[in-house]
Amino acid sequence: MIFRDKTIICSGCGKSFIFSSFDQKFFHSQGFHSEPKRCLECREKHSRDTNQASAKPPINEQVSPQAIESHAEHVAGFESFGLTPNVLAGVRLSGYTIPTQIQSKAIPYVLAGNDVIGLAQTGTGKTAAFVLPMLNRLESHRQGNVRGLVISPTRELAEQTNEAIASLGRRTGIRAISLYGGVGMFQQMRSLRDGVDIVVACPGRLLDHVWQGSVDLSSVEMLVIDEADRMFDMGFLPDIQNILRCLPQKKQTLLFSATMPDDVRKLVQTYLQNPVTVQIGQAAPASSVAQSFYPVKQHLKSALLLDLLRQIKTDSVVVFTRTKYRAERLTEQLKESGFKVASLQGNLAQSRRQSAIDSFRRGKVKILVATDIASRGIDVLRISHVINYDMPDTTDAYTHRIGRTGRIDQTGEAFTFICPEDAGMVHDIERLLGKKVERRMLQGFNYDVEAPKAVKVRRPIANDRIEQRSAAKGVSDKRAPYRRAARQVSPQTRQS
């Protein structure tokens, strides 16, 4: 989709204002397809009038949880947090109006200087909960060196966070960069030399830059460990510990996660100072997602998926597979059946991965077939369905997968194909949910098709290969009849 600057007449003051192509692109990426009706000045005036009576919490000093909880009950919009005018301008230009629960509860603690543990389901707005306070703090006295660090488990999540910083901080002048593998280091090193305020990085590539001396972390004031549970699932604990050794001891640390496994708990006890825990709901799939199981034999999964996609009304769909090979194979099958589809898996170069996400976000492709690398990091509001072609390995992975739909006041559906060998995971998921998940059968689908029989191919023995080569060369092997006769002799004859 091509975006061009538009001139809009403000419904408040009647003056014209520019709705830039940059703003349009961001609005569209976040799922907003309507244009703003009022200019920025009128929006600011409306917000001030709406929240004029709201009290502001004290900033940059330690605040008790009871005081902040009491304050949170009386606030309405982002203006109540006491953010700087430039940060607030970015909030409004990004189309944000009312904070989500995690934002309302976490932002005052972060602004007050506390270490914070944020526990919430995916899709609840955790990114803005740490980006806004970071922008607010760093804007007040910019120094031209790295003072904010965000550690992310995947390239996609790092890029998404970097985009959020660019959008929300567009009026602050704060510069950020995302560092991840799969692309050359030279361009990243050059950007680092030019000076950045915030680094958003995957652990491995960040350590590469630390060891190369291209990034200096000695001035970091705020550290964010994002999607901590996923970080440990991917084996990043040693890398995170090495990164933490490079940071100043005096800093503010924020940890955001959907769950709190033992590894995360140990990290909290070691590195966070008197943290305040903010939890929104339980570590279970969002209630806005309708879930159902489709019992099916393994060899019928692809046929069932094709029929399901033809019968249901979808906006955009993410299909999860267990392996990279299966993601590629399924993508080709869907393309051959006429669907607009892209794949997202770890073997792809970063440019192809980013292209797949951009095409999916813009609606150029309607189906994204992905491995668990995409269970987090795809921030697309309009995903209507998640289909688990393969059952995930853990309940946490199930939660993160289906969390791609039903995000922030949206509703969605999650379908999971279950085979007899998935019985154990089915039990674990239903125990997590505290209820039995509905089983469905697709109307008109033939569940009785037998699996194709494997064709046994006899491997030629050495003598056969000799005969084949001889025949190919036109050479007669005089001993061949005797070999054939020897092979026809029974074991009993040989024993006698």
Side-chain angles (χ1 to χ4, degrees), residues 155-156 159 180-183 348-355:
R155 308 172 189 179
E156 288 72 27
E159 193 61 41
Y180 43 77
V183 296
L348 297 177
Q350 178 58 28
S351 57
R352 289 186 61 191
R353 290 167 67 170
Q354 192 61 46
S355 175

Side-chain angles (χ1 to χ4, degrees), residues 22 35 73 140 148 168 222 267 284 287 293 334 336 372 397 456:
F22 179 84
E35 299 174 348
E73 294 175 358
S140 59
L168 294 169
M222 289 186 70
L267 188 77
S287 58
F293 289 162
L334 290 170
E336 291 172 0
D372 277 321
K456 292 184 179 180

Side-chain angles (χ1 to χ4, degrees), residues 40-109:
L40 178 61
E41 289 75 15
C42 288
R43 276 180 274 167
E44 289 178 344
K45 182 178 182 301
H46 175 75
S47 297
R48 284 196 301 269
D49 294 342
T50 303
N51 300 284
Q52 189 173 10
S54 297
K56 295 182 180 180
I59 304 302
N60 295 328
E61 61 183 64
Q62 293 292 322
V63 182
S64 68
Q66 293 80 7
I68 290 183
E69 292 290 347
S70 175
H71 167 78
E73 294 175 358
H74 299 90
V75 301
F78 287 92
E79 292 79 5
S80 61
F81 297 134
L83 300 170
T84 67
N86 286 332
V87 175
L88 277 177
V91 169
R92 298 188 189 99
L93 289 171
S94 298
Y96 295 177
T97 54
I98 300 175
T100 64
Q101 286 189 355
I102 188 66
Q103 292 163 4
S104 294
K105 292 190 175 184
I107 288 177
Y109 287 126

Side-chain angles (χ1 to χ4, degrees), residues 296-495:
V296 64
K297 297 175 184 177
Q298 184 71 36
H299 68 280
L300 293 177
K301 280 185 177 180
S302 296
L304 177 61
L305 177 64
L306 290 169
D307 280 11
L308 190 62
L309 291 172
R310 293 187 184 107
Q311 291 190 27
I312 62 175
K313 184 178 180 181
T314 64
D315 187 359
S316 54
V317 184
V318 179
V319 180
F320 284 107
T321 65
R322 183 174 289 132
T323 65
K324 303 169 187 176
Y325 168 76
R326 190 167 292 173
E328 285 299 311
R329 187 187 66 183
L330 191 59
T331 299
E332 292 304 317
Q333 289 176 329
L334 290 170
K335 285 181 179 178
E336 291 172 0
S337 299
F339 293 98
K340 295 180 179 179
V341 59
S343 67
L344 184 66
Q345 42 89 3
N347 281 345
L348 297 177
Q350 178 58 28
S351 57
R352 289 186 61 191
R353 290 167 67 170
Q354 192 61 46
S355 175
I357 292 176
D358 290 343
S359 298
F360 184 64
R361 187 171 285 161
R362 292 195 301 266
K364 187 176 179 180
V365 299
K366 296 295 185 181
I367 303 171
L368 188 66
V369 181
T371 55
D372 277 321
I373 194 171
S375 64
R376 306 190 191 196
I378 301 179
D379 192 11
V380 181
L381 291 181
R382 300 291 180 178
I383 295 176
S384 60
H385 292 78
V386 166
I387 299 177
N388 290 312
Y389 181 92
D390 292 322
M391 177 68 78
D393 294 327
T394 65
T395 54
D396 283 349
Y398 177 82
T399 298
H400 302 319
R401 282 185 182 187
I402 73 171
R404 296 306 95 202
T405 186
R407 298 172 68 83
I408 308 181
D409 299 329
Q410 304 286 326
T411 58
E413 290 189 88
F415 304 146
T416 301
F417 295 171
I418 59 173
C419 300
E421 58 266 28
D422 298 322
M425 185 53 59
V426 169
H427 172 73
D428 291 344
I429 291 171
E430 291 182 329
R431 185 173 59 181
L432 172 70
L433 299 173
K435 62 179 181 181
K436 195 171 182 65
V437 177
E438 177 190 5
R439 269 63 168 178
R440 289 186 182 179
M441 303 291 285
L442 186 64
Q443 187 174 2
F445 183 77
N446 185 3
Y447 288 91
D448 298 324
V449 176
E450 294 294 331
K453 293 182 179 179
V455 178
K456 292 184 179 180
V457 179
R458 187 179 71 87
R459 225 178 134 187
I461 61 176
N463 291 331
D464 291 332
R465 290 196 293 269
I466 293 172
E467 293 174 27
Q468 291 169 4
R469 285 197 300 269
S470 299
K473 294 178 181 179
V475 178
S476 174
D477 187 351
K478 296 179 179 180
R479 291 181 298 173
Y482 300 100
R483 292 195 189 96
R484 284 195 292 269
R487 290 201 300 272
Q488 294 171 1
V489 176
S490 67
Q492 293 81 5
T493 304
R494 283 198 292 269
Q495 289 175 1

